[in-house]
Amino acid sequence: KIWNEINPNFGSLPNAGIVINEEFIKNHPDEANLFIEELKKAIAWVSTNKKEAAKLSFDIMRQPIDRIELFLERVHFEYVEGNTLIEKVKQYFSILEREKIIGKSLDKDFYKIFKRE
C-alpha cells in the first residue's frame, strides 16, 4: 500500500525470484519446464491453503504459525515471466534510480536474465 502511494499504479512489489542457469535450461529443457510448472502449482497452493502453508513453513521460518498465516494473508504470490516480468523489473529499477537508491541505469543485457528463450 505504501509503495503504491509513493509510486502510483505500480501494482505488486517484486520481492522474490528464481533464476535458472541458461545452460541448464538449454541442456535440460524438460526438467526446467517441469520445475517451472511445479513452482506455479506451489504458488497456487500456498495462495489457497494459507493455514496449511503456515504450518508447513514453521520448520524453516521459526515463527509462530499465526504470524506466518497473517503474513500470507497480506501478500500476493504470483508467477510472472517473459515481457511482463521484464517491464515490471524495468519499472522497479527506474524507480530505484529516480530515488537515487542505485546510481546508474542498468544496460539492456541485464534484463535478458529475466526471459526464458
XYZ file of all heavy atoms in Angstrom, residues 10-108:
815
model
N 1.841 1.202 -9.665
C 2.904 0.216 -9.846
C 2.373 -1.200 -9.713
O 2.754 -2.092 -10.442
C 4.037 0.437 -8.835
C 5.201 -0.488 -9.052
C 6.192 -0.158 -9.947
C 5.285 -1.708 -8.398
C 7.258 -1.017 -10.185
C 6.343 -2.575 -8.622
C 7.329 -2.224 -9.515
N 1.491 -1.413 -8.755
C 0.982 -2.765 -8.534
C 1.847 -3.511 -7.538
O 2.445 -2.911 -6.651
N 1.934 -4.813 -7.718
C 2.680 -5.648 -6.783
C 4.161 -5.301 -6.782
O 4.756 -5.051 -7.835
C 2.540 -7.124 -7.157
O 1.204 -7.528 -7.062
N 4.741 -5.327 -5.617
C 6.167 -5.065 -5.450
C 6.926 -6.359 -5.674
O 6.723 -7.332 -4.943
C 6.434 -4.530 -4.041
C 7.875 -4.270 -3.662
C 8.463 -3.157 -4.523
C 7.976 -3.893 -2.197
N 7.796 -6.410 -6.681
C 8.544 -7.656 -6.888
C 9.553 -7.838 -5.765
O 10.330 -6.945 -5.469
C 9.233 -7.431 -8.238
C 9.307 -5.953 -8.404
C 8.133 -5.377 -7.639
N 9.506 -8.986 -5.120
C 10.411 -9.163 -3.988
C 11.032 -10.546 -3.913
O 11.709 -10.855 -2.955
C 9.698 -8.846 -2.678
C 8.547 -9.778 -2.407
O 8.239 -10.670 -3.178
N 7.879 -9.576 -1.299
N 10.799 -11.373 -4.880
C 11.403 -12.703 -4.866
C 11.510 -13.205 -6.294
O 10.756 -12.789 -7.169
C 10.559 -13.664 -4.040
N 12.440 -14.074 -6.496
C 12.575 -14.636 -7.823
C 13.505 -15.824 -7.816
O 14.247 -16.042 -6.872
N 13.433 -16.545 -8.888
C 14.312 -17.688 -9.091
C 14.956 -17.506 -10.454
O 14.275 -17.234 -11.450
C 13.525 -19.013 -9.048
C 12.969 -19.227 -7.644
C 14.409 -20.178 -9.485
C 12.088 -20.444 -7.514
N 16.263 -17.636 -10.483
C 16.998 -17.557 -11.732
C 17.572 -18.942 -12.004
O 18.236 -19.522 -11.145
C 18.124 -16.502 -11.665
C 18.914 -16.470 -12.964
C 17.543 -15.123 -11.362
N 17.293 -19.456 -13.184
C 17.810 -20.765 -13.584
C 18.903 -20.538 -14.621
O 18.708 -19.795 -15.585
C 16.695 -21.655 -14.167
C 15.575 -21.845 -13.140
C 17.257 -23.002 -14.598
C 14.350 -22.560 -13.682
N 20.017 -21.181 -14.415
C 21.156 -21.077 -15.315
C 20.733 -21.360 -16.750
O 20.089 -22.376 -17.033
C 22.229 -22.071 -14.841
C 23.470 -22.022 -15.693
O 23.453 -22.464 -16.830
N 24.528 -21.501 -15.125
N 21.109 -20.471 -17.667
C 20.719 -20.595 -19.074
C 21.213 -21.916 -19.674
O 20.500 -22.566 -20.439
C 21.283 -19.415 -19.862
C 20.908 -19.411 -21.319
C 21.468 -18.204 -22.058
O 22.232 -17.429 -21.465
O 21.133 -18.055 -23.243
N 22.411 -22.320 -19.308
C 22.957 -23.579 -19.816
C 22.117 -24.769 -19.355
O 21.880 -25.706 -20.114
C 24.412 -23.743 -19.348
C 25.108 -24.922 -19.961
C 26.570 -24.983 -19.562
O 27.225 -23.917 -19.528
O 27.045 -26.098 -19.279
N 21.649 -24.709 -18.109
C 20.795 -25.784 -17.609
C 19.506 -25.863 -18.424
O 19.063 -26.941 -18.803
C 20.470 -25.583 -16.127
C 19.611 -26.672 -15.566
C 20.165 -27.853 -15.106
C 18.229 -26.527 -15.523
C 19.365 -28.875 -14.612
C 17.417 -27.535 -15.030
C 17.995 -28.723 -14.568
N 18.922 -24.722 -18.710
C 17.677 -24.697 -19.490
C 17.912 -25.270 -20.883
O 17.099 -26.053 -21.389
C 17.096 -23.272 -19.564
C 16.608 -22.835 -18.185
C 15.960 -23.187 -20.579
C 16.157 -21.406 -18.105
N 19.028 -24.908 -21.505
C 19.326 -25.425 -22.849
C 19.587 -26.926 -22.833
O 19.159 -27.640 -23.734
C 20.537 -24.693 -23.425
C 20.235 -23.293 -23.871
C 21.463 -22.616 -24.423
C 21.150 -21.184 -24.819
N 22.339 -20.459 -25.262
N 20.307 -27.389 -21.813
C 20.688 -28.800 -21.758
C 19.615 -29.704 -21.162
O 19.626 -30.914 -21.397
C 21.988 -28.974 -20.974
C 23.168 -28.354 -21.689
O 23.184 -28.239 -22.905
N 24.154 -27.929 -20.930
N 18.719 -29.125 -20.379
C 17.682 -29.916 -19.697
C 16.323 -29.209 -19.773
O 15.732 -28.887 -18.745
C 18.076 -30.140 -18.230
C 19.439 -30.716 -18.044
N 19.714 -32.045 -18.221
C 20.607 -30.126 -17.714
C 20.982 -32.266 -17.995
N 21.560 -31.120 -17.699
N 15.825 -28.972 -20.971
C 14.575 -28.203 -21.096
C 13.373 -28.878 -20.427
O 12.532 -28.192 -19.854
C 14.370 -28.073 -22.607
C 15.158 -29.192 -23.200
C 16.325 -29.411 -22.270
N 13.305 -30.199 -20.479
C 12.163 -30.888 -19.858
C 12.180 -30.706 -18.349
O 11.133 -30.439 -17.740
C 12.168 -32.383 -20.206
C 11.880 -32.634 -21.679
O 11.317 -31.743 -22.338
O 12.250 -33.721 -22.156
N 13.350 -30.841 -17.742
C 13.460 -30.671 -16.293
C 13.173 -29.225 -15.885
O 12.505 -28.980 -14.886
C 14.847 -31.092 -15.795
C 15.094 -32.577 -15.853
C 15.577 -33.078 -17.221
O 15.570 -32.306 -18.207
O 15.945 -34.269 -17.287
N 13.683 -28.272 -16.675
C 13.436 -26.860 -16.379
C 11.945 -26.548 -16.462
O 11.386 -25.873 -15.592
C 14.230 -25.969 -17.334
N 11.295 -27.057 -17.504
C 9.855 -26.830 -17.656
C 9.062 -27.490 -16.537
O 8.099 -26.909 -16.025
C 9.370 -27.326 -19.017
C 9.823 -26.423 -20.148
O 9.996 -25.223 -19.963
N 10.034 -26.997 -21.308
N 9.468 -28.703 -16.151
C 8.808 -29.387 -15.042
C 8.942 -28.571 -13.753
O 7.972 -28.384 -13.017
C 9.390 -30.787 -14.846
C 8.839 -31.572 -13.656
C 7.343 -31.820 -13.799
C 9.601 -32.894 -13.503
N 10.144 -28.075 -13.491
C 10.366 -27.254 -12.301
C 9.456 -26.033 -12.306
O 8.811 -25.717 -11.297
C 11.833 -26.821 -12.215
C 12.089 -25.885 -11.079
C 12.249 -26.369 -9.790
C 12.151 -24.511 -11.284
C 12.467 -25.503 -8.725
C 12.361 -23.642 -10.229
C 12.526 -24.146 -8.947
N 9.373 -25.345 -13.435
C 8.552 -24.137 -13.528
C 7.071 -24.472 -13.337
O 6.350 -23.749 -12.638
C 8.818 -23.408 -14.863
C 10.237 -22.819 -14.820
C 7.776 -22.338 -15.130
C 10.760 -22.345 -16.148
N 6.609 -25.561 -13.919
C 5.207 -25.956 -13.738
C 4.915 -26.305 -12.280
O 3.857 -25.942 -11.751
C 4.846 -27.110 -14.666
C 4.788 -26.724 -16.135
C 3.915 -25.515 -16.408
O 2.761 -25.476 -15.912
O 4.380 -24.591 -17.102
N 5.838 -26.990 -11.628
C 5.651 -27.323 -10.214
C 5.698 -26.065 -9.348
O 4.968 -25.951 -8.360
C 6.693 -28.347 -9.753
C 6.495 -29.723 -10.364
C 5.140 -30.341 -10.028
O 4.714 -30.267 -8.856
O 4.509 -30.905 -10.936
N 6.552 -25.115 -9.710
C 6.615 -23.843 -8.990
C 5.279 -23.110 -9.090
O 4.758 -22.600 -8.091
C 7.744 -22.974 -9.547
C 7.880 -21.572 -8.954
C 8.199 -21.631 -7.469
C 8.956 -20.796 -9.709
N 4.701 -23.078 -10.275
C 3.391 -22.442 -10.468
C 2.326 -23.118 -9.596
O 1.508 -22.441 -8.963
C 2.969 -22.507 -11.932
C 3.779 -21.620 -12.851
C 3.322 -21.831 -14.291
C 4.148 -21.071 -15.284
N 3.715 -21.310 -16.674
N 2.362 -24.448 -9.558
C 1.399 -25.178 -8.728
C 1.613 -24.864 -7.245
O 0.634 -24.712 -6.490
C 1.534 -26.684 -8.951
C 1.048 -27.157 -10.287
C 1.294 -28.658 -10.427
C 1.028 -29.165 -11.815
N 1.373 -30.593 -11.953
N 2.864 -24.778 -6.820
C 3.160 -24.481 -5.417
C 2.672 -23.089 -5.041
O 2.094 -22.892 -3.966
C 4.664 -24.613 -5.156
N 2.881 -22.126 -5.921
C 2.412 -20.760 -5.663
C 0.889 -20.753 -5.523
O 0.345 -20.143 -4.594
C 2.880 -19.806 -6.781
C 4.402 -19.616 -6.702
C 2.150 -18.464 -6.700
C 4.995 -18.933 -7.919
N 0.211 -21.435 -6.419
C -1.259 -21.504 -6.356
C -1.709 -22.199 -5.075
O -2.666 -21.759 -4.426
C -1.804 -22.230 -7.586
N -1.014 -23.267 -4.683
C -1.393 -23.999 -3.473
C -1.232 -23.128 -2.233
O -2.136 -23.068 -1.388
C -0.567 -25.289 -3.335
C -1.019 -26.110 -2.177
C -2.012 -27.036 -2.166
C -0.514 -26.048 -0.835
N -2.161 -27.566 -0.903
C -1.248 -26.970 -0.060
C 0.484 -25.302 -0.216
C -1.017 -27.165 1.285
C 0.730 -25.496 1.134
C -0.028 -26.427 1.874
N -0.114 -22.444 -2.117
C 0.100 -21.579 -0.951
C -0.974 -20.500 -0.894
O -1.507 -20.195 0.174
C 1.515 -20.958 -0.968
C 1.648 -19.843 0.069
C 2.578 -22.027 -0.729
N -1.314 -19.948 -2.046
C -2.322 -18.882 -2.087
C -3.702 -19.342 -1.650
O -4.479 -18.546 -1.125
C -2.399 -18.294 -3.499
O -1.169 -17.672 -3.820
N -4.006 -20.615 -1.849
C -5.337 -21.112 -1.482
C -5.335 -21.944 -0.205
O -6.413 -22.334 0.263
C -5.945 -21.944 -2.625
O -5.063 -23.009 -2.959
C -6.188 -21.085 -3.850
N -4.180 -22.211 0.370
C -4.064 -23.033 1.586
C -3.138 -22.358 2.598
O -2.146 -22.947 3.050
C -3.531 -24.433 1.227
C -4.449 -25.173 0.308
O -5.449 -25.728 0.725
N -4.125 -25.155 -0.989
N -3.456 -21.141 2.946
C -2.564 -20.338 3.782
C -2.328 -20.935 5.170
O -1.213 -20.929 5.672
C -3.086 -18.912 3.866
C -3.006 -18.236 2.516
C -3.609 -16.872 2.503
C -3.419 -16.300 1.101
N -4.293 -15.287 0.751
N -3.359 -21.460 5.780
C -3.201 -22.046 7.121
C -2.267 -23.254 7.060
O -1.351 -23.391 7.869
C -4.550 -22.432 7.710
C -4.468 -22.902 9.161
C -5.834 -23.220 9.728
C -6.614 -22.008 10.128
N -6.102 -21.166 11.171
N -2.481 -24.130 6.090
C -1.619 -25.316 5.942
C -0.202 -24.907 5.571
O 0.769 -25.495 6.052
C -2.194 -26.270 4.892
C -3.440 -26.973 5.342
C -3.217 -27.797 6.607
O -2.246 -28.558 6.671
O -4.034 -27.666 7.541
N -0.078 -23.919 4.698
C 1.245 -23.441 4.294
C 1.994 -22.866 5.502
O 3.195 -23.085 5.664
C 1.122 -22.397 3.192
N 1.283 -22.147 6.344
C 1.895 -21.584 7.553
C 2.408 -22.698 8.453
O 3.522 -22.625 8.984
C 0.891 -20.708 8.293
N 1.620 -23.747 8.614
C 2.046 -24.880 9.447
C 3.287 -25.547 8.865
O 4.219 -25.886 9.589
C 0.922 -25.907 9.574
C -0.239 -25.444 10.421
C -1.347 -26.492 10.422
C -2.588 -25.980 11.120
N -3.708 -26.920 11.013
N 3.286 -25.739 7.552
C 4.415 -26.401 6.906
C 5.692 -25.567 6.939
O 6.790 -26.115 6.903
C 4.071 -26.742 5.454
C 3.056 -27.854 5.252
C 2.667 -27.935 3.778
C 3.613 -29.184 5.737
N 5.562 -24.256 7.003
C 6.741 -23.395 6.941
C 7.391 -23.163 8.298
O 8.463 -22.574 8.375
C 6.379 -22.049 6.312
O 5.536 -21.326 7.184
N 6.784 -23.651 9.369
C 7.325 -23.376 10.708
C 8.771 -23.825 10.843
O 9.601 -23.110 11.405
C 6.469 -24.026 11.800
C 7.045 -23.810 13.167
C 6.916 -22.585 13.795
C 7.763 -24.809 13.809
C 7.474 -22.359 15.047
C 8.320 -24.597 15.059
C 8.168 -23.364 15.680
N 9.107 -25.005 10.340
C 10.472 -25.510 10.488
C 11.508 -24.588 9.862
O 12.630 -24.487 10.350
C 10.602 -26.908 9.884
C 9.929 -27.970 10.733
O 9.647 -27.697 11.920
O 9.684 -29.066 10.207
N 11.143 -23.930 8.783
C 12.073 -23.032 8.100
C 12.017 -21.622 8.686
O 13.042 -20.998 8.934
C 11.756 -22.979 6.590
C 11.989 -24.353 5.970
C 12.581 -21.928 5.876
C 11.470 -24.492 4.567
N 10.814 -21.122 8.915
C 10.620 -19.737 9.343
C 10.883 -19.524 10.831
O 11.234 -18.431 11.247
C 9.204 -19.259 8.994
C 8.838 -19.372 7.522
S 9.626 -18.157 6.506
C 8.677 -16.719 6.914
N 10.615 -20.542 11.637
C 10.793 -20.453 13.092
C 10.022 -19.286 13.710
O 10.494 -18.597 14.601
C 12.275 -20.349 13.457
C 13.067 -21.572 13.105
C 12.714 -22.688 14.039
N 13.508 -23.870 13.711
C 13.118 -25.091 13.940
N 11.970 -25.320 14.502
N 13.870 -26.098 13.617
N 8.850 -19.069 13.169
C 7.955 -18.047 13.689
C 6.651 -18.725 14.089
O 6.295 -19.761 13.532
C 7.668 -16.981 12.628
C 8.846 -16.127 12.270
C 9.259 -15.237 13.432
O 8.429 -14.623 14.085
N 10.552 -15.184 13.681
N 5.920 -18.141 15.017
C 4.618 -18.722 15.373
C 3.729 -18.831 14.132
O 3.723 -17.943 13.268
C 4.043 -17.730 16.380
C 5.240 -17.046 16.959
C 6.241 -16.967 15.835
N 3.009 -19.909 14.049
C 2.184 -20.194 12.873
C 1.183 -19.078 12.607
O 0.950 -18.715 11.448
C 1.499 -21.564 13.035
C 2.576 -22.664 12.994
C 0.445 -21.795 11.961
C 2.088 -24.040 13.390
N 0.611 -18.490 13.657
C -0.370 -17.427 13.426
C 0.277 -16.203 12.768
O -0.356 -15.510 11.971
C -1.095 -17.056 14.719
C -0.181 -16.515 15.804
O 1.001 -16.934 15.872
O -0.658 -15.697 16.611
N 1.543 -15.936 13.064
C 2.240 -14.806 12.420
C 2.507 -15.099 10.946
O 2.394 -14.215 10.104
C 3.559 -14.504 13.127
C 3.367 -13.878 14.473
C 4.672 -13.461 15.053
N 4.507 -13.113 16.452
C 5.509 -12.933 17.269
N 6.752 -13.076 16.856
N 5.285 -12.606 18.517
N 2.897 -16.333 10.670
C 3.140 -16.712 9.282
C 1.837 -16.633 8.490
O 1.809 -16.126 7.364
C 3.754 -18.125 9.194
C 5.118 -18.148 9.895
C 3.888 -18.564 7.742
C 5.693 -19.534 10.087
N 0.761 -17.094 9.095
C -0.535 -17.034 8.426
C -0.946 -15.586 8.168
O -1.457 -15.250 7.091
C -1.590 -17.747 9.262
C -2.885 -17.928 8.531
C -3.904 -18.726 9.327
O -3.620 -19.168 10.456
O -5.014 -18.888 8.797
N -0.704 -14.704 9.131
C -1.006 -13.282 8.941
C -0.190 -12.715 7.779
O -0.715 -11.982 6.941
C -0.723 -12.500 10.228
C -0.970 -11.004 10.178
C -2.431 -10.699 9.866
C -0.561 -10.351 11.501
N 1.092 -13.080 7.728
C 1.932 -12.652 6.610
C 1.349 -13.138 5.289
O 1.240 -12.372 4.324
C 3.359 -13.185 6.795
C 4.204 -13.069 5.564
C 4.739 -11.846 5.196
C 4.457 -14.177 4.770
C 5.514 -11.734 4.040
C 5.226 -14.072 3.620
C 5.761 -12.853 3.256
N 0.972 -14.402 5.225
C 0.423 -14.965 3.993
C -0.890 -14.303 3.590
O -1.217 -14.238 2.403
C 0.243 -16.481 4.123
C 1.540 -17.283 4.228
C 1.241 -18.747 4.492
C 2.403 -17.115 2.985
N -1.645 -13.812 4.561
C -2.887 -13.094 4.260
C -2.605 -11.729 3.640
O -3.426 -11.190 2.913
C -3.738 -12.922 5.520
C -4.355 -14.208 6.026
C -5.391 -14.789 5.077
O -6.007 -14.037 4.301
O -5.561 -16.021 5.104
N -1.434 -11.172 3.934
C -1.102 -9.819 3.470
C -0.361 -9.782 2.139
O -0.264 -8.725 1.529
C -0.255 -9.106 4.525
C -1.020 -8.819 5.780
C -0.144 -8.133 6.772
N -0.916 -7.746 7.951
C -0.386 -7.236 9.026
N 0.908 -7.042 9.123
N -1.159 -6.905 10.041
N 0.200 -10.892 1.722
C 0.987 -10.889 0.490
C 0.216 -11.555 -0.642
O -0.735 -12.299 -0.411
C 2.358 -11.605 0.665
C 3.211 -10.898 1.681
C 2.188 -13.055 0.994
N 0.670 -11.272 -1.831
C 0.088 -11.884 -3.021
C 1.228 -12.528 -3.797
O 2.151 -11.845 -4.241
C -0.597 -10.821 -3.877
C -1.027 -11.327 -5.205
N -2.118 -12.156 -5.374
C -0.512 -11.144 -6.441
C -2.257 -12.446 -6.642
N -1.291 -11.846 -7.310
N 1.184 -13.840 -3.931
C 2.184 -14.550 -4.710
C 1.654 -14.743 -6.121
O 0.498 -15.126 -6.318
C 2.491 -15.920 -4.089
C 3.135 -15.828 -2.744
C 2.439 -16.196 -1.609
C 4.428 -15.384 -2.609
C 3.028 -16.127 -0.359
C 5.036 -15.305 -1.358
C 4.330 -15.685 -0.241
N 2.531 -14.485 -7.085
C 2.124 -14.589 -8.476
C 3.343 -14.976 -9.301
O 4.433 -14.435 -9.113
C 1.580 -13.242 -8.943
C 1.173 -13.171 -10.368
C 0.678 -11.780 -10.754
O 0.957 -10.806 -10.047
O 0.022 -11.694 -11.797
N 3.162 -15.895 -10.225
C 4.228 -16.262 -11.145
C 4.131 -15.345 -12.352
O 3.085 -15.243 -12.984
C 4.095 -17.725 -11.580
C 5.177 -18.128 -12.546
C 6.410 -18.550 -12.080
C 4.982 -18.046 -13.910
C 7.426 -18.896 -12.959
C 5.985 -18.393 -14.804
C 7.204 -18.809 -14.322
O 8.209 -19.136 -15.184
N 5.227 -14.671 -12.672
C 5.265 -13.762 -13.815
C 6.526 -14.081 -14.609
O 7.583 -14.320 -14.025
C 5.294 -12.287 -13.364
C 5.315 -11.344 -14.547
C 4.121 -11.976 -12.445
N 6.408 -14.071 -15.933
C 7.578 -14.354 -16.763
C 7.527 -13.534 -18.043
O 6.556 -12.821 -18.298
C 7.667 -15.846 -17.100
C 6.559 -16.343 -17.992
C 6.692 -17.825 -18.338
O 7.508 -18.533 -17.731
O 5.972 -18.264 -19.238
N 8.571 -13.634 -18.833
C 8.622 -13.019 -20.154
C 8.597 -11.506 -20.140
O 9.102 -10.862 -19.221
N 7.985 -10.935 -21.177
C 7.970 -9.477 -21.332
C 7.254 -8.777 -20.189
O 7.638 -7.671 -19.809
C 7.347 -9.089 -22.670
C 8.231 -9.484 -23.837
O 9.448 -9.563 -23.708
N 7.621 -9.758 -24.973
N 6.227 -9.401 -19.633
C 5.520 -8.806 -18.493
C 6.474 -8.625 -17.322
O 6.503 -7.569 -16.683
C 4.335 -9.701 -18.074
O 3.465 -9.865 -19.197
C 3.577 -9.102 -16.909
N 7.264 -9.651 -17.042
C 8.241 -9.570 -15.955
C 9.308 -8.530 -16.260
O 9.656 -7.724 -15.392
C 8.886 -10.937 -15.733
C 10.028 -10.982 -14.721
C 9.557 -10.528 -13.348
C 10.624 -12.367 -14.658
N 9.816 -8.526 -17.473
C 10.866 -7.569 -17.829
C 10.377 -6.141 -17.654
O 11.072 -5.291 -17.090
C 11.371 -7.822 -19.266
C 12.157 -9.140 -19.304
C 12.238 -6.667 -19.756
C 12.513 -9.616 -20.694
N 9.170 -5.848 -18.098
C 8.633 -4.493 -17.945
C 8.480 -4.111 -16.471
O 8.760 -2.991 -16.072
C 7.317 -4.335 -18.701
C 7.491 -4.330 -20.203
C 8.530 -3.321 -20.690
O 8.479 -2.142 -20.279
O 9.408 -3.719 -21.479
N 8.019 -5.060 -15.658
C 7.847 -4.790 -14.224
C 9.212 -4.540 -13.563
O 9.363 -3.619 -12.762
C 7.121 -5.955 -13.555
C 6.839 -5.759 -12.087
C 5.986 -4.550 -11.782
C 4.551 -4.754 -12.158
N 3.688 -3.634 -11.761
N 10.204 -5.325 -13.923
C 11.550 -5.159 -13.348
C 12.157 -3.833 -13.809
O 12.768 -3.117 -13.012
C 12.447 -6.361 -13.708
C 13.893 -6.104 -13.314
C 11.928 -7.626 -13.038
N 11.980 -3.484 -15.086
C 12.474 -2.192 -15.579
C 11.835 -1.034 -14.816
O 12.497 -0.078 -14.421
C 12.184 -2.033 -17.069
C 13.109 -2.785 -17.968
C 12.738 -2.545 -19.427
C 13.661 -3.286 -20.358
N 13.292 -3.104 -21.769
N 10.531 -1.141 -14.615
C 9.811 -0.097 -13.883
C 10.343 0.006 -12.456
O 10.574 1.112 -11.946
C 8.319 -0.422 -13.890
C 7.453 0.640 -13.279
C 5.979 0.223 -13.239
O 5.618 -0.914 -13.517
N 5.116 1.147 -12.875
N 10.562 -1.131 -11.821
C 11.083 -1.158 -10.447
C 12.466 -0.510 -10.366
O 12.702 0.366 -9.532
C 11.138 -2.609 -9.961
C 11.746 -2.790 -8.605
C 11.084 -2.361 -7.461
C 12.979 -3.407 -8.452
C 11.635 -2.537 -6.203
C 13.538 -3.590 -7.203
C 12.862 -3.154 -6.085
O 13.408 -3.326 -4.848
N 13.377 -0.890 -11.254
C 14.718 -0.325 -11.212
C 14.736 1.144 -11.608
O 15.573 1.911 -11.126
C 15.692 -1.151 -12.058
C 16.188 -2.368 -11.340
C 15.744 -3.621 -11.687
C 17.086 -2.260 -10.283
C 16.182 -4.746 -11.013
C 17.537 -3.375 -9.603
C 17.081 -4.626 -9.965
N 13.814 1.578 -12.459
C 13.760 3.006 -12.803
C 13.343 3.837 -11.587
O 13.820 4.952 -11.398
C 12.837 3.256 -13.990
O 11.483 3.072 -13.635
N 12.477 3.267 -10.748
C 12.104 3.962 -9.503
C 13.311 4.035 -8.577
O 13.593 5.089 -7.995
C 10.912 3.255 -8.818
C 9.641 3.435 -9.648
C 10.714 3.772 -7.396
C 8.480 2.544 -9.225
N 14.040 2.942 -8.452
C 15.236 2.946 -7.596
C 16.260 3.950 -8.101
O 16.904 4.642 -7.311
C 15.854 1.546 -7.539
C 15.012 0.445 -6.909
C 15.786 -0.864 -6.892
C 14.550 0.813 -5.512
N 16.401 4.057 -9.418
C 17.328 5.028 -9.998
C 16.835 6.463 -9.743
O 17.605 7.326 -9.315
C 17.477 4.772 -11.496
C 18.467 5.698 -12.158
C 18.563 5.468 -13.654
O 17.905 4.548 -14.185
O 19.286 6.243 -14.305
N 15.557 6.691 -9.991
C 14.973 8.021 -9.784
C 15.157 8.504 -8.345
O 15.442 9.673 -8.089
C 13.486 7.982 -10.143
C 12.789 9.334 -9.985
C 11.291 9.227 -10.167
N 10.700 8.597 -8.995
C 9.646 7.796 -9.014
N 9.051 7.491 -10.135
N 9.173 7.276 -7.900
N 15.004 7.572 -7.400
C 15.124 7.911 -5.983
C 16.569 7.872 -5.482
O 16.811 8.005 -4.292
C 14.250 6.971 -5.151
C 12.771 7.056 -5.464
C 12.175 8.430 -5.197
O 12.600 9.101 -4.229
O 11.291 8.847 -5.973
N 17.506 7.654 -6.418
C 18.937 7.629 -6.121
C 19.320 6.511 -5.139
O 20.246 6.649 -4.350
C 19.426 8.990 -5.650
C 19.230 10.072 -6.703
C 19.804 11.391 -6.299
C 19.634 12.496 -7.282
N 18.917 12.379 -8.477
N 18.574 5.420 -5.204
C 18.898 4.234 -4.407
C 19.980 3.438 -5.129
O 20.851 2.856 -4.501
C 17.634 3.400 -4.141
C 16.682 4.230 -3.266
C 17.975 2.061 -3.499
C 15.303 3.663 -3.132
N 19.911 3.436 -6.462
C 21.009 2.905 -7.262
C 21.551 4.057 -8.084
O 20.820 4.999 -8.416
C 20.584 1.725 -8.164
C 19.461 2.126 -9.128
C 20.173 0.531 -7.323
C 19.102 1.039 -10.138
N 22.838 4.004 -8.411
C 23.488 5.159 -9.010
C 23.488 5.251 -10.509
O 23.822 6.285 -11.056
N 23.140 4.185 -11.210
C 23.195 4.270 -12.670
C 22.137 3.376 -13.300
O 21.619 2.467 -12.656
C 24.576 3.873 -13.170
C 24.961 2.454 -12.848
C 26.328 2.122 -13.419
C 26.628 0.653 -13.173
N 27.797 0.218 -13.857
N 21.873 3.654 -14.566
C 20.921 2.831 -15.310
C 21.533 1.475 -15.601
O 22.742 1.354 -15.796
C 20.558 3.513 -16.624
O 19.900 4.725 -16.385
N 20.691 0.475 -15.647
C 21.146 -0.866 -15.991
C 21.086 -1.035 -17.501
O 20.157 -0.536 -18.151
C 20.270 -1.901 -15.300
C 20.308 -1.822 -13.770
C 19.197 -2.652 -13.170
C 21.657 -2.275 -13.246
N 22.081 -1.714 -18.069
C 22.078 -1.888 -19.515
C 21.069 -2.958 -19.936
O 20.576 -3.734 -19.126
C 23.470 -2.188 -20.053
C 24.024 -3.526 -19.600
O 23.274 -4.356 -19.061
O 25.231 -3.744 -19.799
N 20.772 -2.979 -21.228
C 19.752 -3.882 -21.768
C 20.090 -5.350 -21.528
O 19.192 -6.170 -21.369
C 19.561 -3.627 -23.257
C 18.943 -2.285 -23.559
C 18.815 -2.063 -25.043
C 18.297 -0.662 -25.302
N 18.217 -0.368 -26.733
